[in-house]
Amino acid sequence: MSDTRMLDQGTAPERFARGWHCLGLASAFADGKPHAIQGFGTKLVVWQDSKGELNVLDGYCRHMGGDLTQGEVKGDEIACPFHDWRWGGDGKCKEIPYARRVPLRARTQRYETAVVNDQLLVWHDVQGSKADREILPPQLPGVAEGEYTDWVWNTEEIIGSHCRELIDNVVDMAHFYYVHFAFPTSFRNVFEGTEATQFMESKGRPDKADGGYGDSDLFLRSEARYYGPAYMINWLDTDYKGFNTEVVLINCHVPTGPDSFTLHYGITVKKPEGMDDATADFIAKKYADMFGSGFLQDVHIWKNKVPVQNPLLCEEDGPVYQLRRWYEQFYVDVDDIDPEMTDRFEFEVDTTKANEYWQAEVADNLAKKAEQDAAAGVPAGH
């Protein structure tokens, strides 16, 4: 029998995660028109009513399957383009203009909503439970008060990967060097309840100054926390050439199919005291470009890798299996949540050996580049 280790690619879960999912900036839906969002294996319709409330229903009319996203907002209801059935934000049909009465069973799938940090979130649960507002992501202090720049918001459609590929990054210390071009000098994880947190400190690689976090003058102190299965807040204290900036990165996603999801990421920067808004917005855009390029580096990996249910790990790879055990709680019925999924778990990766090797590798890369530049007549430092 061969002793070759085989990859177990497994199968995607048959259900979508229970919890809060972000559909984007709330302002994107506040124009009185219906909006189409792909999510949870179907299409959703989002619209704002006359009271300013955002409503989310399944996108297909329960009458004859008309696409509600192609309809109109009439009063507070979304009207189907096929036969003008009017659906309210509570999921009930309010009116059929050509009929004497509305059938008693004229109800559709409604998604409970919340607006947090200027973003629209919806609750999803295949068991149909009432939304758990106690586990909503927190409102960031200072954002609503204008202490931060406007969100720089981006969206990427990921095809061919289950969203768990994104979650694995929470414990993946080594990929920050190889994918994002940074030395992770400190790396720790804490999982508890419905939250999973990564604490990291890093500095950029001087041999990769034009990509990812690769700038030797860039130092990061990062606290990244998932609130449930799909919404992460990443607090970043950045030090670039002695200039300190407080950055908040939102990383969130909505599953669209068994092997696809919509990735959202947004950046806001705390306005330095005395700095004008235009300069602060410029800085926010620069950080959005930098961290956005980091996401695109991950996207390239996800699109070309295969899922692995039985990863072969070394000590420095971190608690991958424990993280997946935590994540599993969102894919089982509430009554089947095991204490091992939610009990507090802590793990710190010893980065000593990794950084010894990486520092030597970078020094060698820089020496080779200097030799190549000298041979090509390029002045030192260029």
Side-chain angles (χ1 to χ4, degrees), residues 161-169 302 305-308 324:
S161 291
H162 189 272
C163 47
R164 187 176 67 181
E165 302 294 328
L166 182 82
I167 306 300
D168 281 347
N169 276 5
W302 298 330
K305 72 183 293 298
V306 296
V308 181
R324 291 183 174 187

Side-chain angles (χ1 to χ4, degrees), residues 54 91 104 117 125 129 164 173 175 262 274 299 307 356 375 378:
L54 293 174
L104 293 177
N117 300 319
D125 181 10
S129 67
R164 187 176 67 181
M173 180 274 295
H175 95 286
T262 301
V299 167
E356 287 176 354
V378 178

Side-chain angles (χ1 to χ4, degrees), residues 287-350:
Y287 276 111
D289 290 343
M290 181 183 71
F291 291 114
S293 69
F295 273 116
L296 294 178
Q297 289 165 325
D298 281 321
V299 167
H300 179 72
I301 298 291
W302 298 330
K303 286 182 176 180
N304 292 279
K305 72 183 293 298
V306 296
V308 181
Q309 308 305 315
N310 62 335
L312 179 61
L313 305 175
C314 64
E315 183 178 341
E316 284 76 10
D317 284 325
V320 174
Y321 285 105
Q322 289 86 347
L323 175 68
R324 291 183 174 187
R325 186 68 171 157
W326 168 85
Y327 188 57
E328 188 181 354
Q329 67 178 288
F330 306 112
Y331 288 86
V332 300
D333 289 350
V334 171
D335 291 342
D336 294 329
I337 296 176
D338 190 282
E340 288 186 1
M341 301 175 184
T342 57
D343 286 348
R344 185 178 178 87
F345 175 86
E346 298 187 42
F347 189 92
E348 183 166 4
V349 176
D350 185 348

Side-chain angles (χ1 to χ4, degrees), residues 94-284:
K94 302 298 186 181
E95 181 184 1
I96 305 171
Y98 62 87
R100 291 189 181 90
R101 63 183 66 88
V102 175
L104 293 177
R105 295 183 178 179
R107 299 187 179 216
T108 187
Q109 175 66 50
R110 168 183 178 257
Y111 294 85
E112 292 189 64
T113 64
V115 176
V116 178
N117 300 319
D118 304 326
Q119 299 141 29
L120 174 62
L121 279 67
V122 296
W123 174 263
H124 175 269
D125 181 10
V126 295
Q127 292 183 274
S129 67
K130 184 176 177 58
D132 187 347
R133 297 184 181 272
E134 293 186 0
I135 60 172
L136 270 168
Q139 175 66 39
L140 294 164
V143 168
E145 293 75 20
E147 296 177 15
Y148 286 76
T149 62
D150 291 339
W151 290 101
V152 179
W153 199 262
N154 293 281
T155 302
E156 291 283 340
E157 299 297 332
I158 310 300
I159 306 297
S161 291
H162 189 272
C163 47
R164 187 176 67 181
E165 302 294 328
L166 182 82
I167 306 300
D168 281 347
N169 276 5
V170 173
V171 297
D172 191 345
M173 180 274 295
H175 95 286
F176 281 95
Y177 175 82
Y178 294 104
V179 179
H180 301 309
F181 307 140
F183 296 108
T185 55
S186 175
F187 197 93
R188 181 169 66 94
N189 290 117
V190 177
F191 314 143
E192 186 171 20
T194 57
E195 300 177 9
T197 309
Q198 173 199 97
F199 300 90
M200 183 183 70
E201 295 181 11
S202 69
K203 59 181 180 179
R205 286 175 56 177
D207 62 333
K208 297 285 187 179
D210 57 351
Y213 310 158
D215 190 315
S216 60
D217 292 315
L218 178 64
F219 295 84
L220 294 178
R221 182 178 293 108
S222 168
E223 179 179 329
R225 179 170 299 141
Y226 266 97
Y227 293 89
Y231 188 97
M232 185 194 81
I233 301 178
N234 189 183
W235 292 270
L236 291 152
D237 289 329
T238 70
D239 181 338
Y240 184 68
K241 296 183 178 180
F243 184 76
N244 295 97
T245 308
E246 294 181 36
V247 179
V248 176
L249 165 67
I250 300 293
N251 162 24
C252 50
H253 67 269
V254 179
T256 54
D259 63 349
S260 61
F261 59 96
T262 301
L263 172 67
H264 297 278
Y265 57 96
I267 294 280
T268 185
V269 172
K270 189 168 186 179
K271 300 175 183 176
E273 188 174 346
M275 181 177 289
D276 62 274
D277 287 351
T279 304
D281 289 340
F282 175 80
I283 293 173

